[in-house]
Amino acid sequence: QVQLVESGGGLVQTGGSLRLSCADSGRTFSRYTMAWFRQAPGKERGIVAQINWSGQSTHYADSVKGRFTISRDNAKNTVYLQMNSLKPEDTAVYYCAAGQGNWVVPARSTDFDSWGQGTQVTVSS
């Protein structure tokens, strides 16, 4: 069973960087497609980035391409989201998610069955 815990959120100025981490305390992390979603107040939860089990395939939302990088370390049961050149519109609660279904691009929240508790990212202007 996957149990996900996010960390690394916080307050940063426009143009700054943050690195989110999501650790899985379960034993089957390497089997899962992993993803980062975000949800801003009054908006639906949407995909930010996704990565397949090996790390060889990734996909990004258009709004973060070239600024965010998703990666994983299966030996550490951890997925990361490096966020650079942050903008106020990146402000949201960020969630990591794990799923065992087929690789779907872009992934939908219904493709994932395990979620972290979320971490707040706030970008000030």
Side-chain angles (χ1 to χ4, degrees):
Q1 186 172 353
V2 176
Q3 294 178 313
L4 305 174
V5 178
E6 299 107 334
S7 61
L11 173 64
V12 65
Q13 291 184 333
T14 296
S17 297
L18 283 174
R19 188 194 197 201
L20 305 184
S21 299
C22 174
D24 167 28
S25 60
R27 296 174 294 173
T28 58
F29 177 80
S30 62
R31 300 180 186 177
Y32 290 84
T33 292
M34 300 298 296
W36 289 94
F37 287 77
R38 68 186 180 187
Q39 187 168 20
K43 295 187 177 181
E44 293 186 353
R45 188 174 300 187
I47 186 74
V48 175
Q50 62 192 86
I51 187 167
N52 77 330
W53 67 273
S54 67
Q56 292 186 334
S57 294
T58 58
H59 178 78
Y60 297 89
D62 288 343
S63 58
V64 307
K65 280 181 183 177
R67 301 188 297 122
F68 291 12
T69 302
I70 189 171
S71 61
R72 67 189 297 162
D73 185 338
N74 286 344
K76 295 182 178 180
N77 284 9
T78 302
V79 62
Y80 305 96
L81 185 68
Q82 178 66 44
M83 305 186 294
N84 299 328
S85 302
L86 283 161
K87 305 175 182 180
E89 50 264 44
D90 295 317
T91 295
V93 177
Y94 284 70
Y95 299 89
C96 70
Q100 287 188 293
N102 293 329
W103 179 252
V104 176
V105 174
R108 304 152 298 186
S109 58
T110 53
D111 295 322
F112 299 85
D113 47 24
S114 296
W115 293 83
Q117 81 286 356
T119 186
Q120 176 71 46
V121 171
T122 302
V123 185
S124 63
S125 57

